[in-house]
Amino acid sequence: TRTSRPQRILKAVQTKATVGDPQSVITAIDHFCRHREWAMNVGDEKGSILDSVVNEVSPVTVLELGTYCGYSTVRIARLLPPGACVITLEFNPDYAAIARQVIKWSGLEDKVQLVEGASGDWIPWMKEHFGVQAFDLVFLDHWKERYLPDTKLLEECGLIQKGTVLLADNVICPGTPDYLEYVRNSPHYNSQYYRSHLEYTKVEDGLEKSVFLGY
Ligand SMILES: O=C(NCCc1nnc(-c2ccc3[nH]cnc3c2)[nH]1)c1cc(-c2ccc(F)cc2)cc(O)c1O
Ligand SMILES: [Mg+2]
């Protein structure tokens, strides 16, 4: 049977990128998705904004919701100092299997914990299972209707503390209206929109950065 799009992305990494070189993995995926087949990676344009936020926050613990093929996982992990790590949650086992291989090819497996399962099931266990006190940075890039309920769940579980930064992809396309309304109107968040484009296209999209101000 036909290969899947994630399998074709992995093949592009394995034929075009150098083992242990995260930048070459990022470049290979962006080239494939721009010139061969569109895919829902955060991409190079929004990816540069993600990089600048990671560098600004210098996080020790990062939560990524929605791994897909591991493109943004590699973007984040390549910027982390020794001892820092990204926990990334993926619901789809086929995506997770590809992402593990992409992350391994980039040589960043020591900085990444890939967890397979639903965000709603896993978030309540993060403290106990991973010894996480609170996240310094959360990158939301999973099902768009999960952004708001999962943000509220992270708050309830004490995984968001004063200074935690939430960075949300796709707030315009496909769009996350209820999440945007919440973080922009809540007195507990300082929110900022970074205008950009949907990955590999001219369609408007952007990232929303929201800093938790405490209770
Ligand atoms: O759906 C998206 N991303 C989500 C994938 C995912 N990968 N993992 C999950 C997960 C992970 C844990 C979960 N726990 C509970 N649900 C979960 C879902 N979700 C997405 C879609 C588009 C897009 C734009 C325009 C179009 F015309 C078509 C598509 C663009 C993007 O940048 C996206 O990120
Ligand atoms: Mg996205």
Side-chain angles (χ1 to χ4, degrees):
T1 53
R2 252 170 68 79
T3 57
S4 69
R5 184 168 306 182
Q7 282 170 325
R8 295 192 290 273
I9 288 171
L10 174 61
K11 184 160 166 286
V13 166
Q14 293 172 334
T15 49
K16 298 283 190 304
T18 308
V19 175
D21 176 354
Q23 189 53 54
S24 73
V25 168
I26 292 162
T27 303
I29 294 173
D30 282 331
H31 188 274
F32 180 82
C33 293
R34 190 172 286 282
H35 300 292
R36 292 278 178 276
E37 240 181 303
W38 186 91
M40 59 183 166
N41 317 116
V42 74
D44 44 359
E45 194 179 314
K46 289 187 289 179
S48 299
I49 299 167
L50 170 60
D51 289 357
S52 60
V53 171
V54 173
N55 285 328
E56 176 197 318
V57 175
S58 318
V60 174
T61 47
V62 182
L63 174 65
E64 173 181 62
L65 297 172
T67 317
Y68 187 44
C69 295
Y71 173 90
S72 47
T73 321
V74 168
R75 282 203 83 110
I76 294 165
R78 87 192 199 284
L79 300 174
L80 298 181
C85 85
V86 46
I87 297 170
T88 182
L89 209 48
E90 179 47 63
F91 184 67
N92 180 315
D94 300 325
Y95 295 170
I98 297 294
R100 287 189 200 287
Q101 297 173 77
V102 168
I103 292 159
K104 193 158 175 55
W105 197 273
S106 69
L108 292 166
E109 60 273 23
D110 295 347
K111 294 182 186 294
V112 177
Q113 285 262 19
L114 195 158
V115 179
E116 281 184 50
S119 48
D121 298 338
W122 264 98
I123 286 171
W125 293 104
M126 289 280 170
K127 278 190 188 250
E128 198 164 328
H129 197 271
F130 294 102
V132 172
Q133 213 259 327
F135 289 109
D136 303 305
L137 173 65
V138 181
F139 181 52
L140 297 97
D141 194 21
H142 60 331
W143 282 344
K144 307 316 161 194
E145 65 279 4
R146 291 294 316 174
Y147 282 26
L148 182 53
D150 286 342
T151 296
K152 290 181 173 174
L153 187 55
L154 285 164
E155 289 171 4
E156 284 153 26
C157 297
L159 287 162
I160 291 178
Q161 288 182 354
K162 189 171 165 36
T164 295
V165 174
L166 307 184
L167 187 66
D169 189 26
N170 311 118
V171 296
I172 303 300
C173 177
T176 61
D178 58 346
Y179 172 82
L180 268 192
E181 202 267 336
Y182 179 75
V183 290
R184 287 178 175 174
N185 297 321
S186 164
H188 301 294
Y189 288 96
N190 185 9
S191 218
Q192 183 181 353
Y193 176 60
Y194 292 80
R195 188 163 186 228
S196 184
H197 296 93
L198 177 68
E199 48 268 26
Y200 319 115
T201 78
K202 292 187 168 52
V203 173
E204 182 178 348
D205 189 21
L207 301 171
E208 186 83 2
K209 184 182 92 171
S210 308
V211 185
F212 189 62
L213 303 169
Y215 291 106

